[in-house]
Amino acid sequence: SVPDAELPDASVPGDVPPTPITLAWERLPDDGPSARSSSMATLGERVVLFGGLGTGGANDYQDGTWIWQDGTWSELAVEVRPLARRDAMFGEVGGELVLFSGVGRDADGSLGTLDDIWAFDGAAWRELHPAPGPDGRQEAAYTSYDGRLCLHGGAGSGAARLPDGWCFDGERWTELPLGPPAQRAATLTSVNGALLLTGGSTPGAAP
């Protein structure tokens, strides 16, 4: 037998077996936007799709805004919107969806990383103009965290991998302390009040 003093303390979260999660996938009707990549986020109970790369080739950048709610897709007719792009970063900030950067063509038609930032309230887009923050980039890790859009790494101009991290609170950018190495295509999420970064491609690794 095990003495009482050596029994696990059930009050310590690490000693409590995790609750099994039972999920099942369901194929939904294909009655919404055309196929694309690098374009989706959530706003409350809604899925918001903006932009992305379509199936028409390497320059098939999209600029439509779609919302999936209550099992139905609907496209919004908005005149003021971000430029077409892929690989933007999204986060829910103050009840709005914030979009930052990505790759697309600027107002002059030049292809590259964009450095603009926009907010979507569920019906309309508006461009924000905070003090300078991170450089434009693609394939950054990003997530919503404590009411902010937070990001790390990615690839900047010339596809150079970046080591910096930033958070945007709706008004200003705050740079995070340096930590993980420069990388692109990592995954960032919020777990138990902390940011967790996993995966990614570091310099010298395959792109």
Side-chain angles (χ1 to χ4, degrees):
S1 64
V2 179
D4 291 346
E6 296 180 19
L7 291 174
D9 182 0
S11 66
V12 179
D15 293 331
V16 179
T19 301
I21 299 176
T22 302
L23 298 174
W25 290 99
E26 177 185 357
R27 180 73 180 262
L28 300 177
D30 300 328
D31 58 355
S34 59
R36 66 195 67 194
S37 63
S38 308
S39 59
M40 196 170 294
T42 59
L43 178 62
E45 298 299 318
R46 294 165 289 180
V47 173
V48 178
L49 182 154
F50 174 80
L53 185 65
T55 59
N59 294 314
D60 187 18
Y61 300 107
Q62 304 291 312
D63 66 352
T65 302
W66 291 77
I67 292 180
W68 188 84
Q69 186 173 17
D70 298 328
T72 302
W73 280 108
S74 58
E75 185 175 14
L76 298 185
V78 287
E79 293 186 7
V80 177
R81 60 186 182 273
L83 294 169
R85 69 192 67 201
R86 62 169 173 84
D87 285 318
M89 284 126 268
F90 298 94
E92 188 169 345
V93 180
E96 297 183 308
L97 181 67
V98 169
L99 173 155
F100 171 66
S101 193
V103 174
R105 296 191 180 278
D106 62 21
D108 296 325
S110 298
L111 179 63
T113 53
L114 306 170
D115 62 0
D116 52 347
I117 184 167
W118 292 73
F120 179 69
D121 64 5
W125 289 98
R126 72 181 191 283
E127 188 170 6
L128 305 179
H129 301 281
D135 294 331
R137 61 196 64 202
Q138 61 177 306
E139 294 187 327
Y142 63 89
T143 191
S144 300
Y145 170 69
D146 194 26
R148 293 170 286 179
L149 162 63
C150 293
L151 61 92
H152 178 270
S157 299
R161 292 169 175 84
L162 302 171
D164 54 341
W166 295 79
C167 286
F168 180 70
D169 65 3
E171 297 182 358
R172 61 184 63 84
W173 286 102
T174 300
E175 188 168 9
L176 303 177
L178 287 177
Q183 57 190 292
R184 64 192 296 176
T187 300
L188 188 66
T189 190
S190 173
V191 178
N192 295 330
L195 290 172
L196 177 65
L197 182 76
T198 59
S201 172
T202 56

